[in-house]
Amino acid sequence: MADPPWAPLLLDAARADAEAVAARLEQAWERQRLVALAGQGQQGELAAALGGAPGALAELERFGAAVVVGSGGSSGGRHWCLQPLAHLQASAAATAAWLEGLGLEPAACLHLDPLPLHHVSGLLPLVRARRWGGELRWLAPSLLRSPELLPEACHLPRGRPVLLSLVPTQLARLMASPAATAWLAGCALIWVGGAGLPASLAAAARRARLPLAPCYGTTETAAMVCALPPQRFLAGVQGCGEPLADVALRLDGPTGAVEVRCARLSPGRLVAGRLQPLPLQPDGWWRSGDGGRIGPEGLELLGRLDGALHSGGETVFPERLEERLQAEAAQRGAGLAAVLLLARPDPEWGERLVALVRPLRQEEGAELLGRLQAITADWPPAERPRGWHLCPSLAPTAAGKWQRGRWQRWLDSLEAF
């Protein structure tokens, strides 16, 4: 017996064959089906969000073709957001208008997608290509792990604009290879989002004349809501640029949270088979979990508010300090592979920072901690870590996001002994 039209199709989007998964997704959308995309190890969690009661999701039939994808993993929790296909298509239309403003014809572009389909940043290249009539080509994750092979495996066409979407972790891996860096320079535009772009990586990209377009968006906003043109990036402008034509941005006064208003906000999140509407302000604004500031060149992100801490009356954004420490360590030749700053209770300050550190060479771990303490010795007290721990397994997710909740629990277990 055929499934009722409201019954979701659960797809394993972590499969290596992205093209086959995308084909099943598009076939389901043609039948106005709801599709739920699970990443590696997420099937059980997603199934629980969809719920097991017969008919529990029948109310979602009114949205027609739609998708459920995860959001919010960087803070240790995950929301399962519903996005109608119409919202994704509206996002694609806004991005097309932005490209046209740069003198690029969307339909003439080749889209390269190395991002997983269960992330909205990996899903949107598919929707854009179909909406614009452009060509889409999938890049296997193995190519990004062996960047020296990329130029030969994926020849860039002459005289045709190439669009690429990356997260900062992927960009850093590719730029470690001179051949891949030269290949990147052949793209017309490289969107970089999903996580903060470290200042040192941005500087290296400018030196290599890479056409980066740092951007900001969320699953709840159907991906991109603002982007910085490559010309402005190469001129040294910081941040994520101005909002797209269909988006309004503002900041919440007390917290500095980035707020978004647009017609493509998610209708809500799925919890045990029920749709919980997205929490909105009375005038339709959605408040993100990101702190920022808005200047003449647009939005500049400060970091996750759920990762910010209040120390001695100061609001501290650990992500900014991590970038600074990485940059200063690189300048002094310290072998720092990764650093994560977390908050710990302090009777005098309220909260203080503690650093988790992964050295490039494990045998130099103790020496590295000493060098990092020297680097931060003259930082303001609220920004200076009071504790340092070696963590050989420290790493972000494949999408370049830090699961701060996971590493906070690791720190808790370490300090319990």
Side-chain angles (χ1 to χ4, degrees), residues 23-182:
R24 292 194 63 192
L25 168 66
E26 293 188 280
Q27 290 167 5
W29 277 347
E30 288 175 1
R31 299 194 300 273
Q32 297 297 300
R33 292 279 301 275
L34 170 65
V35 181
L37 297 174
Q40 185 174 6
Q42 295 178 354
Q43 290 88 341
E45 185 182 346
L46 179 51
L50 294 173
L57 296 175
E59 63 169 314
L60 303 184
E61 187 177 1
R62 60 191 169 96
F63 294 107
V67 68
V68 175
V69 285
S71 169
S74 61
S75 59
R78 184 178 288 109
H79 301 296
W80 294 102
C81 288
L82 173 73
Q83 276 292 10
L85 175 58
H87 287 196
L88 304 180
Q89 291 172 334
S91 176
T95 305
W98 182 84
L99 284 173
E100 289 167 349
L102 301 182
L104 291 172
E105 172 53 49
C109 294
L110 169 64
H111 309 259
L112 301 180
D113 190 359
L115 299 167
L117 271 171
H118 61 277
H119 289 292
V120 72
S121 55
L123 180 61
L124 257 295
L126 170 66
V127 178
R128 291 171 188 149
R130 298 296 185 261
R131 185 74 172 175
W132 303 344
E135 180 186 351
L136 175 68
R137 188 181 303 173
W138 304 97
L139 290 183
S142 58
L143 285 177
L144 276 72
R145 293 191 292 269
S146 303
E148 67 280 357
L149 304 178
L150 185 56
E152 186 64 28
C154 181
H155 294 282
L156 300 183
R158 291 184 178 180
R160 187 178 186 190
V162 175
L163 309 178
L164 176 63
S165 296
L166 296 173
V167 298
T169 300
Q170 294 172 326
L171 176 63
R173 288 175 182 167
L174 293 180
M175 290 188 66
S177 163
T181 301

Side-chain angles (χ1 to χ4, degrees), residues 142-349:
S142 58
L143 285 177
L144 276 72
R145 293 191 292 269
S146 303
E148 67 280 357
L149 304 178
L150 185 56
E152 186 64 28
C154 181
H155 294 282
L156 300 183
R158 291 184 178 180
R160 187 178 186 190
V162 175
L163 309 178
L164 176 63
S165 296
L166 296 173
V167 298
T169 300
Q170 294 172 326
L171 176 63
R173 288 175 182 167
L174 293 180
M175 290 188 66
S177 163
T181 301
W183 180 87
L184 288 170
C187 294
L189 185 143
I190 304 168
W191 284 300
V192 181
L197 179 63
S200 57
L201 185 58
R206 289 188 179 100
R207 289 193 297 270
R209 304 301 297 171
L210 300 187
L212 298 194
C215 57
Y216 172 68
T218 69
T219 306
E220 288 84 355
T221 62
M224 193 185 306
V225 294
C226 60
L228 183 70
Q231 297 90 337
R232 303 301 298 148
F233 169 79
L234 290 172
V237 174
Q238 308 293 323
C240 306
E242 296 183 350
L244 274 59
D246 67 334
V247 173
L249 292 180
R250 73 180 187 185
L251 300 180
D252 173 55
T255 65
V258 177
E259 295 187 338
V260 182
R261 185 168 65 183
C262 62
R264 49 183 161 103
L265 288 172
S266 166
R269 298 158 175 162
L270 285 172
V271 179
R274 297 293 179 186
L275 183 66
Q276 295 186 351
L278 206 63
L280 301 178
Q281 306 302 310
D283 48 356
W285 291 85
W286 173 68
R287 183 172 300 162
S288 76
D290 300 298
R293 54 178 170 234
I294 298 176
E297 296 283 357
L299 176 66
E300 185 175 357
L301 294 176
L302 298 176
R304 291 286 302 177
L305 290 170
D306 52 21
L309 69 147
H310 303 280
S311 183
E314 300 288 336
T315 300
V316 177
F317 287 91
E319 294 167 56
R320 281 298 179 95
L321 299 179
E322 290 159 4
E323 291 181 15
R324 178 182 173 186
L325 186 53
Q326 286 272 21
E328 294 189 18
Q331 290 172 0
R332 303 191 191 189
L336 177 60
V339 62
L340 189 66
L341 301 179
L342 300 173
R344 300 300 294 158
D346 185 275
E348 179 182 0
W349 291 78

